[in-house]
Amino acid sequence: MPGAYGYADPLFLLLAALALEVYLGRLGWFGGLLSRPRAAVVRLARALERRLNRPERSLAARRLRGWLVTVFLLLAAGAAGWLLALFTRFYPFAWSLELLLLILLLRQRRTWQEAAAVIAALGRGDLQTARAALLRLAAGDIAPLHAERLDAPAVLPASLTALGRRLADSLISPVLWYVLLGPGGLALQQASLLLARLYGGVALYEPGRAPEAGAFGEAALRLARAVEWLPSRLAGLLLALALRLSPAWRSGDESALRRPWGRRPESILAPLASALPANAALPAGLSLFTQACLLHGGALLGLLLLRLLLAG
């Protein structure tokens, strides 16, 4: 039961974390709590890549080593998450650590703020600030040098694409894997995304592009795409439902409404760039993002109430 001594229902923790993240937004110095663990994982992954991904080795050997390193790091991340779960499940009120972790990892208001910063900068005609805000919103999807070459018309579709991807990989995906596998699943999801960006670079969302680490990075990309496949489709479905509930923002792409399942979220938001005036497209996308977050929170609340009814 939620609030029981030493235990809290995962769905209750998720709803509390989502509400607190919306209220708190950027968490100041709290947001840096994960920087050291992330930096340690990055250093280890880079060290292993330098040691094992040497050009004198064959492609097959580098590919095999990439799989071994990626699987090892993902299993280590999952093990750390499940050890945390053992601690939080059996020690009184240790679930507060789990709650803090969820607040730090889930992104609703932070994504909204980053997209709003792009809108504000474009409204002022401040292209440099808009590019910087886009880089924060894109979170590794766009290379910094490429972002510096984007003009104002190109910033708009890139921002819509990034907004859809953050809905999938920074909200739907961590929630889904946390619900399915607990903190271990959440750690696996975060580690897979980190390794894919580290070894694959911007190739994560461009299947035809070679990863930055070459054959060594193929495993990280394939596993991250597998982990993000279902959350991405769920995010697209939520955006399609939000689009159906918001006739004023319809892009004219009725296929998004007729066949919402199987669509990536960026394919729902991207048509707004051409269907609406430049000053309305990104605000429309941000409105759909907000509604999708509300639908997502409502679904979690419904699951929690159903669980309580069945338990009672």
Side-chain angles (χ1 to χ4, degrees), residues 153 156-157 160 243 246-253 268-288:
L156 176 59
L160 287 167
L243 193 64
S246 304
W249 299 132
R250 287 189 180 182
S251 65
D253 182 10
I268 306 292
L269 293 181
L272 297 176
S274 56
L276 295 175
N279 63 347
L282 191 51
L286 193 53
S287 176
L288 290 176

Side-chain angles (χ1 to χ4, degrees), residues 35-301:
S35 59
R36 288 188 179 181
R38 285 183 184 274
V41 173
V42 169
R43 286 195 298 270
L44 176 59
R46 283 296 189 198
L48 291 171
E49 194 263 334
R50 285 194 299 269
R51 184 176 183 85
L52 299 175
N53 190 28
R54 294 176 180 174
E56 62 268 18
R57 293 193 171 103
S58 68
L59 283 177
R62 282 182 278 168
R63 185 175 294 111
L64 175 60
R65 284 164 169 76
W67 275 99
L68 292 174
V69 168
T70 301
V71 170
F72 164 73
L73 290 175
L74 290 183
L75 289 178
W82 286 309
L83 285 174
L84 173 65
L86 287 175
F87 178 74
T88 58
R89 296 298 192 270
F90 292 104
Y91 281 84
F93 305 108
W95 52 263
S96 57
L97 296 176
E98 211 167 303
L99 176 64
L100 177 60
L101 181 65
L102 288 168
I103 294 171
L104 293 173
L105 291 178
L106 299 179
R107 290 177 56 180
Q108 291 182 120
R109 183 174 173 183
R110 281 175 285 173
T111 297
W112 191 95
Q113 289 173 324
E114 288 158 357
V118 177
I119 294 172
L122 289 176
R124 298 192 305 270
D126 187 350
L127 182 57
Q128 191 62 32
T129 301
R131 289 168 176 164
L134 172 60
L135 278 176
R136 292 191 297 271
L137 176 64
D141 298 350
I142 301 176
L145 290 178
H146 176 67
E148 288 298 321
R149 295 194 293 267
L150 294 177
D151 56 11
V155 168
L156 176 59
S159 299
L160 287 167
T161 295
L163 188 61
R165 289 173 178 171
R166 296 298 78 78
L167 175 65
D169 63 29
S170 297
L171 179 62
I172 308 299
S173 186
V175 166
L176 175 66
W177 290 108
Y178 176 76
V179 169
L180 292 177
L181 299 175
L186 179 61
L188 279 172
Q189 185 268 337
Q190 292 290 309
S192 70
L193 199 59
L194 179 63
L195 292 176
R197 288 171 174 161
L198 193 63
Y199 291 153
V202 296
L204 177 59
Y205 296 104
E206 300 176 23
R209 185 165 180 169
E212 288 186 2
F216 187 89
E218 291 178 7
L221 288 180
R222 290 188 181 185
L223 291 175
R225 287 170 184 157
V227 167
E228 300 299 327
W229 186 88
L230 180 57
S232 177
R233 271 63 189 179
L234 291 174
L237 181 61
L238 286 174
L239 286 172
L241 291 174
L243 193 64
R244 183 179 290 277
L245 296 171
S246 304
W249 299 132
R250 287 189 180 182
S251 65
D253 182 10
E254 292 296 325
S255 64
L257 301 176
R258 290 195 302 267
R259 300 186 301 275
W261 179 253
R263 300 288 297 273
R264 298 181 67 92
E266 56 265 36
S267 73
I268 306 292
L269 293 181
L272 297 176
S274 56
L276 295 175
N279 63 347
L282 191 51
L286 193 53
S287 176
L288 290 176
F289 171 85
T290 303
Q291 292 177 63
C293 290
L294 291 173
L295 289 170
H296 173 253
L300 289 176
L301 179 59

